[in-house]
Amino acid sequence: MDAVVRFRAAVCLLGRFPALAGVDLDVAAGEIVLLQGPNGAGKTTLLRACAGLVPVTEGQAGVLGVDLVADRRPVRPLVGLLGHSTGLYDDLTVVENVRFWSRAGRSQRADADAALARLGLDGRLASVPVARLSAGQRRRTALAVLVARRPRLWLLDEPHAALDQDGRDLVDGLMVDAVAAGATVLFASHELDRAEAVAHRSVTVAGGTVNGLLAGAGQEVPVA
Amino acid sequence: MPDLAADSMLRGSMLRDAAMVVGKDLRLEWRSRVTLSQILPFALLVLILFAFALDPDRRILEEATPGLFWLAVLFSMLLAIQRAYAVETADGVIDALRLSDLDPAGIFLGKAAGIGLHLLVLEVVLFVGVTVLYGATPHGGLLVVATMLLATTGLAAAGSLYGVLAAGLRVRDTLLPILMLPVVAPVLIAGTEAFSAAYANASGDGWKWCGLLAAFSVLYLAIGIFAFEPLLEES
């Protein structure tokens, strides 16, 4: 299988601090890979590096065929990142936010409307300004933006956070659907029971280092 | 021919993205009313305070009207720029902008257009304000309009550029005036001189200052189109 993510001895510096100090990671097309590890281990930085938001200063790093060391910008329109923040405009409504960002990602209005329906945001909530939403509803709206953009690589940082039981089930379903549609998912979570149930395999991030190579290329870490 | 077609597509994409961004910014203003409810009253307050300071000598107030008008515009501009970029730095929006397919030059033009439209509204209200409060009446209407349009374009372009430069900094609110005010000093000088000519019924003298304003605008529009992407990267 083609590697969607391929990191070798990758180093990321945040200022002078090595947030990633040697990452070896392969993620094959169609995989759902869980990143686990303690707070401050480097999971968020790894996801941001995959999105081309953090520079890889040493080693090799490729995502969807883009060499992140040479130029990380071309990968950005190809990936979707759900981070700790939502990336939404407080004074725009749910539907306005989803339509704006999906249009900014060159998606069609129909994609935005379908995403709103998929996330259960096409009713009363659609016309509510984001500032008036609960944390979980904001999270759903951010997920709707992600779904509407239909990225080839989903990068999710604690995607279950702030969501109720239905929302968490919905996130798991979205990941499975994304992979069925040809995408790949890399996500970080502390909710291991739920996350391991949906992931194909898990990789541990510790002290800014990762050893997550596919079988045949090094050590594989199977899901328990 | 393929190069021409590519250039045309690039321009189309840039202008379409600019229209998207300015449309979004106007919608944000319509919802939040920050310009109407906060920046506009601030601008009028500045005019009134100038009047309190100089009122005993009405002649000085009338003579100083062009300079006081543009000073009030510059102070209000700082608030408009801070507001324009506050919405882009809240809750990870700047990352979403970087991850989007929007042309950075289009984002720059859209932000500049949004700031410019807000400034134009402010200038019209301030113009009515100085006419009513200071009793100053210009004679060269065309020169006044041209000066406002050119100065606004330059201020909006420079403001959009320096706004994104300061956006990623924790001290952006205090740093922006220090960065911006020296840069826009030529606009203050040229705007004041052009308005002075209009108020003195000597429009001919004012048009050369419009040339300076036009050059300033073109310069900052060009810098912004090419430099916005690396600045967005660093913010």
Side-chain angles (χ1 to χ4, degrees), chain A residues 4-5 7 25 27 33 35 43-53 63-64 68 75-76 78-85 139 142-143 146 151-159 175 178 183-188, chain B residues 99:
Chain A
V4 168
V5 176
F7 278 42
L25 176 66
V27 178
V33 175
L35 296 174
K43 302 185 295 297
T44 297
T45 304
L46 178 54
L47 291 170
R48 288 174 62 80
C50 289
L53 290 173
V63 171
L64 292 164
L68 301 182
V75 82
R76 293 175 182 170
L78 308 176
V79 305
L81 173 69
L82 179 71
H84 295 293
S85 49
R139 199 79 172 155
L143 277 163
L146 197 73
R152 290 170 59 191
L153 174 63
W154 291 44
L155 302 163
L156 310 175
D157 199 355
E158 299 292 348
M175 286 196 268
T184 304
V185 178
L186 181 61
F187 75 110
Chain B
L99 288 170

Side-chain angles (χ1 to χ4, degrees), chain A residues 11-224:
Chain A
V11 174
C12 286
L13 298 177
L14 295 182
R16 295 168 69 180
F17 176 72
L20 296 180
V23 172
D24 292 306
L25 176 66
D26 282 333
V27 178
E31 272 196 304
I32 301 177
V33 175
L34 164 66
L35 296 174
Q36 55 176 301
N39 291 330
K43 302 185 295 297
T44 297
T45 304
L46 178 54
L47 291 170
R48 288 174 62 80
C50 289
L53 290 173
V54 175
V56 177
T57 50
E58 284 181 42
Q60 299 171 11
V63 171
L64 292 164
V66 176
D67 182 351
L68 301 182
V69 180
D71 185 2
R72 62 186 193 275
R73 286 169 296 184
V75 82
R76 293 175 182 170
L78 308 176
V79 305
L81 173 69
L82 179 71
H84 295 293
S85 49
T86 59
L88 302 171
Y89 292 106
D90 273 355
D91 290 315
L92 294 187
T93 64
V94 168
V95 67
E96 287 167 346
N97 264 291
V98 175
R99 284 182 182 164
F100 175 81
W101 287 116
S102 63
R103 205 174 152 207
R106 308 298 181 224
S107 295
Q108 304 297 313
R109 189 174 177 136
D111 295 324
D113 293 345
L116 286 164
R118 180 77 170 90
L119 270 296
L121 296 167
D122 55 343
R124 182 185 55 84
L125 282 177
S127 56
V128 174
V130 162
R132 289 195 211 148
L133 299 180
S134 70
Q137 289 166 335
R138 290 175 73 103
R139 199 79 172 155
R140 274 180 187 252
T141 308
L143 277 163
V145 171
L146 197 73
V147 171
R149 288 188 59 190
R150 296 195 292 183
R152 290 170 59 191
L153 174 63
W154 291 44
L155 302 163
L156 310 175
D157 199 355
E158 299 292 348
H160 302 104
L163 293 173
D164 57 20
Q165 191 64 33
D166 286 348
R168 290 168 185 218
D169 292 342
L170 187 59
V171 167
D172 294 346
L174 288 174
M175 286 196 268
V176 172
D177 289 353
V179 166
T184 304
V185 178
L186 181 61
F187 75 110
S189 180
H190 288 297
E191 298 190 35
L192 296 184
D193 288 345
R194 174 176 283 278
E196 286 178 342
V198 73
H200 297 149
R201 69 188 170 103
S202 72
V203 167
T204 300
V205 185
T209 63
V210 180
N211 188 350
L213 301 179
L214 285 164
Q219 179 187 356
E220 182 180 14
V221 185
V223 175

Side-chain angles (χ1 to χ4, degrees), chain B residues 14-213:
Chain B
M14 182 173 73
L15 294 178
R16 185 186 56 204
D17 291 348
M20 261 185 75
V21 171
V22 71
K24 177 264 297 173
D25 277 1
L26 292 178
R27 186 166 280 174
L28 283 171
E29 169 55 25
W30 178 251
R31 290 274 159 66
S32 65
R33 304 277 208 284
V34 169
T35 300
L36 276 179
S37 65
Q38 293 176 28
I39 302 178
L40 200 57
F42 169 80
L44 289 171
L45 201 56
V46 170
L47 279 192
I48 292 166
L49 289 176
F50 282 149
F52 284 164
L54 300 173
D55 194 41
D57 191 338
R58 190 84 183 174
R59 189 180 54 80
I60 292 179
L61 191 61
E62 281 184 36
E63 285 179 4
T65 292
L68 298 181
F69 172 86
W70 285 108
L71 272 178
V73 170
L74 293 195
F75 292 150
S76 311
M77 171 203 71
L78 292 173
L79 297 183
I81 295 166
Q82 281 172 341
R83 166 64 185 168
Y85 280 95
V87 297
E88 306 298 352
T89 51
D91 203 16
V93 169
I94 201 108
D95 277 346
L97 278 177
R98 290 194 195 106
L99 288 170
S100 76
D101 235 359
L102 293 172
D103 183 342
I107 300 174
F108 163 74
L109 289 176
K111 295 302 291 181
I115 293 168
L117 288 170
H118 288 123
L119 283 181
L120 270 180
V121 171
L122 285 168
E123 285 168 21
V124 169
V125 174
L126 285 173
F127 188 76
V128 173
V130 294
T131 306
V132 172
L133 288 172
Y134 301 172
T137 310
H139 302 282
L142 189 61
L143 178 61
V144 167
V145 172
T147 303
M148 277 188 184
L149 290 175
L150 290 168
T152 302
T153 305
L155 292 175
S160 186
L161 196 61
Y162 281 87
V164 75
L165 181 68
L169 303 172
R170 276 179 297 176
V171 292
R172 59 178 171 265
D173 291 342
T174 45
L175 187 65
L176 186 69
I178 297 170
L179 289 176
M180 276 295 298
L181 290 176
V183 168
V184 297
V187 176
L188 174 67
I189 295 166
T192 301
E193 292 293 340
F195 263 37
S196 295
Y199 280 103
N201 200 12
S203 292
D205 297 338
W207 287 108
K208 64 183 178 191
W209 293 103
C210 283
L212 176 64
L213 290 173

